[in-house]
Amino acid sequence: MSDDHTETPYLALLARGAPAAEYERPVLRARADGAPPDRLAALDRAKHMALRVRAELDDRRRREAELSALFATAHDLAGLRDLDAVLQAIVQRARSLLGTDVAYLTLHDTAAGDTYMRVTDGSVSARFQQLRLGMGEGLGGLVAQTARPYVTDDYFDDPRFQHTRTIDSGVRDEGLVAILGVPLRLGSRVIGVLFAADRRARAFQRGQTALLASFAAHAAVAIDTANLLAETRSALAGLEAANEIIRDRSAVIERASDVHDRLTALVLRGGDVHDVAAAVAESLGAQVTFVEAGQCPAAAVDSSRAVRYGDGWYAAVSAGGELLGALALSGHPALDPVDQRTLERAAMVTSLLQLASRQAGEAEQRVRGDLLDDLLDAPGRDPRLLRERAARLRADLDTPHVVLAARVAEGAAVPAPGPEEGFPSADHRQRLWSAASHLAATRHGLAAARDGGTVLLLPHDGRHSASEEARRAARQLGTAVSAGVTVGASAPVPAPAADPGAVAAAYAEARRCLDVLHVLGRDGEGAAADDFGFVGLLLAEAGDGAGSGDRIGRFVTRTIGPVVEYDARRGTALVPTLDAYFAGGMSPVRTKDALHVHVNTVAQRLDRVGRLLGPDWQTPSRALEIQLALRLHRLATPAPEHRGHDGASPARDRPRPE
C-alpha cells in the first residue's frame, strides 16, 4: 500500500486535533488485521511523524496564546479604567498560560516597609491571602530586595530564602511547593512581585520566566498609569487655578493612550520593530530608531525607564533580564514624563515583537535541522515529501548542493578541568550552531548540529569551487563565532532530493577533509578533498588515532628534515628544487627550466641534497618516501603570497650558491 494510504488516518487525527493516545490505534488495528511487517513499519513511521507535527502545532498554538494574551493585556492598558480589573486579568492570564495552580501579585507598602498581597487567583487559604512579607523574607521578599527573578522547585527545602513562621504557615496552608517570582519594576524601584506557583514540585523553564516578566512589566505599567490618572484627578480637584495646565496634561495622557492603541493595532496586523519606531516618531515629532544590543551605550540602557544620554533619549528593549536592543530618540531634547512613558511602552511592545521573531526563527532552525538530519540518517525517504518540506523552507533540493562540515578549532577551547578539557566550550558550539543556521537561512540551505560541530547543505551554483566554498564559510563562521572555525567540503551533490544517500556520503567526505586539516595543524581553515589528492586519503586514515599529527611531523622530519633545516638556516632553496626535480621526472634539464636557473646550479643543489640525505636518496623506495614527505610538508606549510622564479621568497635573502 502506498505511503499516502499509510498517512491518511494520521492526517485525519491531526485535522480533528485528536489526543496523542489515539495515534496508536491505526497501528494496533493493522496488527490485529494481520498486516505485513512493511505495512506496520510504514504506519509506525507515519505515527511518529504525525506526533512530531502535532507537538509542533501544539507549541505554535501555545506561543500564539501567549502573544494573544500579552496583546490583550496591552489593549487593556490602553483603555485603563479599573486598576483592580486589569491586575486581576494579568494574574488570571499568567496562571492560565503557565498552567499553575495559583498566581498572585504583591505590592510594596512604603509606610510599613514590607509587601502585601494585592491580587490572587486560584488561592483557597484566607491566611495566605492576608500575608505580608518583609524585605528579604521568603522568596517574594528576596525578589523585592534584589530586584531579580527567583524560582524554587521545592520552597520548604530551599535554604536560599529566609523562612519565617508566619510566611511558611501561610504557604503551607495554601499547599504551595514550586514558586516562581519576578519583580515589578518602575525604573530602579521595585514596587511589587508577580508570582506563579504549583502545589507540586515543578521546574519552571526560562521561557516561562520571560513570559511572567512580560506580564509583570504590564502590571507595573498599569499601576504607574493608574497613579498618573490618580494624580491628574487630584490635580483637577485641588487646583482649579491650574485648569489649563491640567487640560494640557490630560491631552498628553490621551495622546499616550492613542499611541498605545496604535502600537497594539500595529502589532496585531503583523508590523515590525521599524514600524513601531515610525509610529512613535510621528507621535512625538522626533526621530526614533531601533539600536541593536551590541551598539547600545551601557549607561543609556541600565534602567527600565527612558534615559537621557547625550543629545537624545534611550529606552531599553529587554525581556526576562536580557537586553535585546533599545529605542533611540533624537531631535526632541525635552520629553515630559508622559512622553517618556510613551517611549518606554513602545520599547515594551518592541520587546514582544523581538521575542516573537526569535521564537519563529528558532522554530525554523529546528525544522531545517530536522530535514537535514533525515537526509543524513534516512536515505530511503520519499523524495516527494523531501521536496515538499524543502519548498516550505524556500530550499530547492533538485539543484546541486555542497556539504560542509564545520567545527570550532581546538585553539578556541576554554580550558576546563575534567573530561571537557581541550574541547571547544559549549558557548562556542552554540555560537557556531547559531551562525551556521543563519548562513543556511540566508542562502536557502539547511544546517544541523552534529558530531560536536555543525553540518551545512548549501546550494552550489558552480561559480565557486568546493574549496572556495569551504574557505568562505570558514571566514564567515569564524567572524560570527569570534574564534577559528575549521571547514571541510565535499564534492557537489547533483540533486539531494533524488539521491538522499549521496548526502550522507558527502558528509563523510567533508568530515575526512576536516580531520585532514586538523592532522596538518591547519585548524581554522577551509578545504575540500581536491586540495589534498591521494595524500588526503592517507591522512584521513592516520587521523583516526591520537597524536597522528605528531607522527606525520616525525615522518617529515626523519625523511627530509636535514634539507628543510638547511634551507631555514642558510636561506637556500633545496626543498623547491626537490619539488621541481621530481615533478620533471628527475631530469636536471627540466628542473632548471622550471626554476629558471643554470643547470650547474641544479647539479650543485642536488649534490648538496645527496650529502644531506645520503647517497641512496634517489633509489625508488627512498624517492617515494621523499616525494610523500615533500607533499606533506607543502600541505602543512601555509603558502607565501609571492615566490621568485626559483621558489625562494623575495622577502628573504636570495639562495646562496651551492
Side-chain angles (χ1 to χ4, degrees):
M1 190 172 292
S2 68
D3 287 345
D4 290 340
H5 291 140
T6 300
E7 295 166 0
T8 299
Y10 293 107
L11 291 175
L13 291 173
L14 287 171
R16 63 184 178 86
E22 291 190 29
Y23 285 70
E24 194 64 32
R25 291 180 182 175
V27 178
L28 296 175
R29 190 179 301 115
R31 187 176 290 116
D33 293 340
D38 57 340
R39 166 66 174 166
L40 294 174
L43 278 170
D44 191 66
R45 288 194 300 271
K47 178 192 71 174
H48 287 295
M49 185 177 297
L51 287 172
R52 284 172 58 187
V53 172
R54 180 181 181 275
E56 183 68 23
L57 291 174
D58 288 345
D59 188 54
R60 292 191 179 189
R61 281 193 289 267
R62 178 184 59 76
R63 291 197 298 271
E64 290 171 359
E66 292 175 356
L67 290 175
S68 296
L70 291 172
F71 296 153
T73 302
H75 187 270
D76 289 345
L77 298 183
L80 180 65
R81 294 296 180 269
D82 184 351
L83 177 61
D84 286 340
V86 172
L87 294 181
Q88 189 67 50
I90 289 173
V91 171
Q92 289 173 348
R93 288 168 185 156
R95 177 191 174 199
S96 174
L97 285 178
L98 270 67
T100 57
D101 298 323
V102 183
Y104 50 100
L105 183 149
T106 63
L107 291 182
H108 181 60
D109 187 336
T110 305
D114 60 6
T115 59
Y116 64 98
M117 201 71 71
R118 181 70 165 77
V119 182
T120 65
D121 186 62
S123 172
V124 296
S125 167
R127 178 188 298 181
F128 180 78
Q129 295 166 13
Q130 297 172 4
L131 275 181
R132 300 183 73 93
L133 289 76
M135 278 296 179
E137 295 179 352
L139 183 145
L142 190 59
V143 173
Q145 185 180 55
T146 62
R148 294 173 54 190
Y150 275 89
V151 62
T152 179
D153 298 340
D154 191 336
Y155 176 82
F156 291 102
D157 290 337
D158 198 326
R160 293 177 299 166
F161 315 120
Q162 180 183 340
H163 293 269
T164 67
R165 178 179 300 176
T166 302
I167 297 173
D168 285 2
S169 297
V171 174
R172 187 176 289 107
D173 204 31
E174 188 63 48
L176 300 182
V177 177
I179 305 175
L180 166 64
V182 296
L184 277 67
R185 297 171 59 101
L186 281 179
S188 59
R189 294 187 301 117
V190 176
I191 63 170
V193 181
L194 179 61
F195 300 84
D198 256 336
R199 295 187 175 94
R200 63 188 185 282
R202 167 180 178 171
F204 288 95
Q205 305 298 320
R206 289 183 59 185
Q208 294 172 321
T209 303
L211 178 63
L212 193 65
S214 296
F215 277 113
H218 280 300
V221 169
I223 295 168
D224 190 35
T225 303
N227 291 338
L228 284 175
L229 291 174
E231 292 172 6
T232 302
R233 294 190 185 100
S234 176
L236 286 170
L239 301 174
E240 294 293 338
N243 193 36
E244 185 64 28
I245 297 175
I246 294 173
R247 278 200 299 269
D248 290 343
R249 185 175 179 83
S250 297
V252 171
I253 294 175
E254 290 299 326
R255 178 159 56 89
S257 178
D258 177 67
V259 171
H260 206 75
D261 281 339
R262 289 177 57 191
L263 293 178
T264 302
L266 185 152
V267 170
L268 292 176
R269 67 170 180 265
D272 58 20
V273 294
H274 301 292
D275 295 327
V276 172
V280 177
E282 180 182 352
S283 173
L284 300 183
Q287 182 179 357
V288 180
T289 56
F290 176 74
V291 181
E292 297 290 345
Q295 301 172 351
C296 298
V301 295
D302 190 20
S303 171
S304 60
R305 286 283 194 182
V307 177
R308 180 72 179 271
Y309 185 81
D311 296 331
W313 293 80
Y314 285 81
V317 175
S318 61
E322 178 186 0
L323 180 64
L324 306 176
L327 289 182
L329 181 146
S330 59
H332 200 315
L335 284 183
D336 63 36
V338 178
D339 284 343
Q340 293 179 33
R341 285 165 176 73
T342 297
L343 184 62
E344 293 160 6
R345 293 173 184 174
M348 185 185 305
V349 172
T350 303
S351 70
L352 297 179
L353 290 174
Q354 290 292 88
L355 280 176
S357 176
R358 174 186 291 181
Q359 291 177 347
E362 290 175 351
E364 181 175 337
Q365 288 179 6
R366 287 194 297 271
V367 173
R368 289 181 185 274
D370 289 343
L371 177 54
L372 183 50
D373 282 336
D374 286 346
L375 285 168
L376 293 170
D377 298 333
R381 293 281 183 183
D382 183 355
R384 179 181 59 81
L385 295 178
L386 293 175
R387 291 185 181 97
E388 290 176 357
R389 292 169 63 188
R392 288 193 289 271
L393 298 170
R394 301 183 299 282
D396 184 2
L397 296 184
D398 287 315
T399 60
H401 283 64
V402 64
V403 176
L404 303 176
R407 187 167 59 216
V408 177
E410 288 193 12
V414 176
E420 295 298 323
E421 185 174 358
F423 290 92
S425 68
D427 180 59
H428 278 127
R429 292 195 296 270
Q430 179 60 40
R431 289 185 185 179
L432 176 60
W433 158 235
S434 299
S437 299
H438 177 73
L439 178 60
T442 56
R443 294 189 57 184
H444 304 296
L446 306 175
R450 207 171 185 87
D451 300 321
T454 60
V455 54
L456 296 97
L457 182 67
L458 300 181
H460 183 68
D461 56 12
R463 291 183 297 176
H464 302 283
S465 67
S467 300
E468 291 170 332
E469 292 280 9
R471 288 192 290 271
R472 182 168 61 166
R475 288 193 302 270
Q476 292 174 331
L477 296 176
T479 300
V481 176
S482 299
V485 174
T486 312
V487 178
S490 72
V493 179
D499 186 10
V503 178
Y507 175 55
E509 178 183 335
R511 285 203 65 200
R512 285 196 295 272
C513 292
L514 200 65
D515 293 337
V516 170
L517 286 170
H518 174 64
V519 168
L520 292 173
R522 290 171 55 184
D523 287 327
E525 300 183 28
D530 290 343
D531 295 326
F532 306 112
F534 78 94
V535 176
L537 298 176
L538 299 177
L539 292 177
E541 293 298 327
D544 291 340
S548 56
D550 292 338
R551 293 199 302 271
I552 291 170
R554 289 195 297 271
F555 170 75
V556 172
T557 300
R558 184 178 67 249
T559 307
I560 61 171
V563 176
V564 174
E565 183 182 355
Y566 189 87
D567 274 354
R569 188 175 66 252
R570 300 290 299 276
T572 55
L574 299 184
V575 171
T577 300
L578 277 175
D579 277 328
Y581 181 63
F582 285 117
M586 302 177 72
S587 167
V589 175
R590 284 193 287 269
T591 303
K592 66 95 176 175
D593 292 337
L595 297 178
H596 302 282
V597 298
H598 196 275
V599 69
N600 290 339
T601 302
V602 174
Q604 291 171 1
R605 293 179 182 178
L606 294 179
D607 182 63
R608 173 60 65 182
V609 169
R611 290 198 296 271
L612 291 171
L613 298 183
D616 64 338
W617 70 277
Q618 297 192 69
T619 61
S621 58
R622 286 290 308 279
L624 178 60
E625 286 189 351
I626 292 170
Q627 290 179 71
L628 179 57
L630 286 170
R631 184 68 182 271
L632 291 171
H633 176 68
R634 187 164 58 252
L635 288 173
T637 305
E641 296 181 1
H642 301 288
R643 287 283 190 185
H645 289 303
D646 61 356
S649 171
R652 302 173 61 180
D653 294 336
R654 303 300 297 172
R656 301 179 183 180
E658 300 298 327

